[in-house]
Amino acid sequence: MDILSSETLLKEKGLKTTKQRLILLKVLLDAPMPLNADMILEKMKLSLAGCNLSTVYRNMEILLNRDVIHEITIDQKSYYAINQSQHGHYIQCVRCKEMTRIEGCPLESYERELENKTGYKVIKHRVELFGICKKCAKNC
């Protein structure tokens, strides 16, 4: 997704195209893993000098409410990424804090089973996975 598709995405979601939103989306698109608000602010300041944490949070809340981005909670910390069409999870290295996306979700069939057994409609779930990445394991 480039700037033009970011603009299109914002318009499709009924959002105004602002410089802050475009920069925030670019930061998340360029990131190899989800970022927390402080990381996003640090990267946004490279392109938008007057940016502050309230600007980041205000825009993220709007983007979250319109499903443009999604929040990932790992170890009670919030991280943000572009909302991908396919559901997945992340595993985080306990040493270097790097995150790797895991495509797909083995819980989807279990959710359907739970719905049939309990009568509940499962609306979301949260999975936290932790380990030691190859790079850190090599340095042990």
Side-chain angles (χ1 to χ4, degrees), residues 45-61:
K45 280 185 172 181
L46 298 174
S47 302
L48 193 63
C51 191
N52 58 43
L53 205 50
S54 65
T55 300
V56 172
Y57 277 116
R58 185 174 49 254
N59 280 287
M60 284 192 315
E61 183 178 349

Side-chain angles (χ1 to χ4, degrees), residues 101-113:
R101 183 170 166 77
I102 300 165
E103 297 298 328
C105 178
L107 294 180
E108 289 171 351
S109 60
Y110 183 58
E111 282 181 358
R112 287 190 293 281
E113 185 181 319

Side-chain angles (χ1 to χ4, degrees), residues 4 15 28 30 33 72 74 80-81 94 105 114 123 128 131:
L4 289 176
L15 296 169
L28 291 176
D30 291 347
M33 63 185 199
I72 302 115
I74 298 179
Y80 304 90
V94 295
C105 178
L114 282 175
I123 55 171
E128 292 188 26

Side-chain angles (χ1 to χ4, degrees), residues 32-36 39 74-75 77 79 90-100 129-133 135-136:
M33 63 185 199
L35 303 173
N36 65 34
M39 298 160 114
I74 298 179
D75 203 18
K77 294 179 185 142
Y79 297 86
Y90 290 85
I91 187 166
Q92 184 178 45
C93 178
V94 295
R95 294 198 176 145
C96 71
K97 305 301 183 200
E98 181 178 313
M99 283 187 241
T100 301
L129 299 165
F130 302 92
I132 298 173
C133 69
K135 183 174 55 179
C136 289

Side-chain angles (χ1 to χ4, degrees), residues 3 9 24 35 41 51 76 78 86 99 114 116 118-120:
I3 289 287
L9 176 62
L24 195 153
L35 303 173
L41 175 61
C51 191
Q76 300 177 355
S78 293
Q86 186 181 5
M99 283 187 241
L114 282 175
N116 291 334
T118 66
Y120 276 78

